[in-house]
Amino acid sequence: MKLYMHPGACSLSPHIVCRELGLPVELVEVDRGTHRTEDGEDYLRVNGNGYVPALALADGRVLTEGPAIVQYLADLRPEVGLLPPPGSVERGRVQSWLNFISAELHKPMVMLMLPAYAPARTAVAALVDKRLDWLAGQLAGPYLTGDRFTVADAYLFVCLNWSPWNGVDLARRPALDAFHRRVAARPAVQAVLAAEGLVQRDDGFFGPRPAEAAQ
């Protein structure tokens, strides 16, 4: 399988899931400005929307949209337990979290980082604050649904990790700050961060290695 990705973007979520499951995957980095891969492939032929992630399967078929990709991956290795069994209420809860993160956090948190949405920044920031305040009171345990790490936790970790770049103050929500640090400490997550060239900053979040340090 090939995972079309950009370091630190939402494609980090299926990358984490692959590592947690022990699934081999080839990383194909996409330039967000040119929509070209590192080997010159036109990514718009893979995903006409132009954004990551996309998962190319061995038979040539392509899956897009992170929440769908992580569920497909988790079902390849159900014994790992990243997604509860089909038809169960527990699976429904994980899917509810995936939908919430996608609709109520992912998109507005990205909007806060894009100059095009600057005129609406106050309203969007207020929405994100409201959702995060609610979320901070909903954690059922170490992870979103209790003691077991699921695909939804990988997705939430990625969105929370954008906090320094979109002006979100995660420190005033200790439950979410602790969640972010807890997920970051998982061996599989550490391996993925290293593979994508993301290093821990002084504030505990993970971003690209400073240019001067990379030289």
Side-chain angles (χ1 to χ4, degrees):
M1 297 185 293
K2 292 182 180 180
L3 177 63
Y4 291 86
M5 48 75 72
H6 185 83
C10 55
S11 51
L12 183 61
S13 170
H15 189 186
I16 290 171
V17 170
C18 283
R19 182 74 68 153
E20 290 276 354
L21 294 169
L23 291 171
V25 65
E26 177 186 350
L27 300 180
V28 181
E29 186 171 344
V30 178
D31 185 294
R32 289 186 287 193
T34 64
H35 299 299
R36 291 279 174 181
T37 67
E38 52 198 327
D39 59 1
E41 181 182 7
D42 182 2
Y43 181 61
L44 292 174
R45 292 182 177 273
V46 179
N47 180 1
N49 285 318
Y51 52 72
V52 294
L55 184 72
L57 307 180
D59 62 7
R61 290 180 294 175
V62 175
L63 292 176
T64 60
E65 304 301 330
I69 291 172
V70 296
Q71 291 179 78
Y72 169 79
L73 292 169
D75 280 336
L76 295 178
R77 297 265 174 94
E79 69 279 5
V80 178
L82 293 190
L83 191 62
S88 66
V89 172
E90 290 75 16
R91 176 176 283 231
R93 289 198 178 104
V94 173
Q95 292 172 325
S96 293
W97 280 119
L98 288 172
N99 287 345
F100 171 82
I101 297 164
S102 179
E104 303 294 338
L105 291 179
H106 179 175
K107 290 306 180 184
M109 291 182 88
V110 168
M111 290 168 66
L112 290 174
M113 294 185 279
L114 298 177
Y117 295 99
R121 180 176 177 80
T122 299
V124 175
L127 171 64
V128 170
D129 278 342
K130 181 178 180 180
R131 296 295 183 252
L132 290 176
D133 287 343
W134 176 83
L135 176 60
Q138 297 299 309
L139 286 175
Y143 302 112
L144 284 169
T145 57
D147 293 332
R148 183 177 290 276
F149 180 85
T150 72
V151 294
D153 297 298
Y155 193 12
L156 178 59
F157 167 78
V158 174
C159 291
L160 295 181
N161 191 61
W162 298 334
S163 295
W165 293 274
N166 57 28
V168 169
D169 183 6
L170 205 62
R172 73 180 183 86
R173 301 172 179 92
L176 297 184
D177 187 54
F179 171 89
H180 177 265
R181 296 175 187 275
R182 186 178 304 118
V183 175
R186 294 179 66 85
V189 176
Q190 285 287 309
V192 167
L193 293 169
E196 295 199 9
L198 303 174
V199 296
Q200 191 167 23
R201 297 155 35 110
D202 291 341
D203 56 13
F205 295 91
F206 297 84
R209 187 183 303 276
E212 62 273 13
Q215 294 176 352

